[in-house]
């Protein structure tokens, strides 16, 4: 098992917590007004999986390592962009539900 750097392990945990919680049937409708549906969360989950796979790839060849780094970096950028957009949408969609914002990993303001 690969020991992930804390920054990656924490990021993966946050991303998975947000996506898993937000896609629950009782929470998902709050995102509909912002054109976000289950398919958006499924696509995000695929980014998270690609990131996780890139981190855990076992091939030691230099070229493969560079490819994994490129894939990892692209995945991180995509996840950060998506989460930035989703944080804003979640804050708007769930402004009257501070407990859910907290469950999503967002501190209600």
């Amino acid at each position: 098992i690969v020991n992930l750097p804390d920054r990656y392990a924490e990021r993966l945990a946050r991303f998975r917590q947000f996506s898993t919680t937000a896609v629950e049937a009782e929470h998902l409708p709050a995102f509909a007004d912002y054109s976000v549906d289950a398919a958006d969360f499924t696509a995000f989950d695929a980014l998270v999986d690609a990131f996780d796979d890139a981190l855990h790839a076992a091939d030691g060849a230099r070229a493969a390592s560079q490819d994994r780094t490129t894939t990892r970096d692209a995945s991180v950028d995509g996840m950060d962009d998506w989460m930035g957009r989703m944080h804003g949408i979640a804050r708007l969609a769930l402004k009257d539900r501070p407990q859910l914002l907290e469950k999503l990993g967002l501190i209600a303001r």
Side-chain angles (χ1 to χ4, degrees), residues 5 15 17 20 22 29 33 35 37 40 44 53 59 64 71 75 80 87 93 101 103 106 109:
F15 291 161
Q17 175 191 357
T20 300
D33 289 341
S35 300
D37 60 20
D40 293 304
F44 178 69
D53 290 346
D59 189 342
T71 300
S75 296
D80 283 343
H87 281 180
L101 284 171
K103 187 175 180 183
L106 303 173
R109 295 179 192 177

Side-chain angles (χ1 to χ4, degrees), residues 24-78:
E24 292 174 3
E26 70 266 25
H27 307 314
L28 194 58
F31 292 90
D33 289 341
Y34 301 92
S35 300
V36 176
D37 60 20
D40 293 304
F41 290 101
T42 299
F44 178 69
D45 289 340
L47 276 175
V48 173
D49 290 342
F51 174 71
D52 199 13
D53 290 346
L55 288 174
H56 289 95
D59 189 342
R62 183 166 173 70
S65 177
Q66 289 174 338
D67 288 344
R68 285 193 311 271
T69 299
T70 300
T71 300
R72 182 200 67 210
D73 291 348
S75 296
V76 168
D77 290 345

Side-chain angles (χ1 to χ4, degrees), residues 34 83-93 106:
Y34 301 92
M83 283 297 289
R85 188 170 63 92
M86 283 298 108
H87 281 180
I89 290 171
R91 288 186 192 284
L92 291 171
L106 303 173

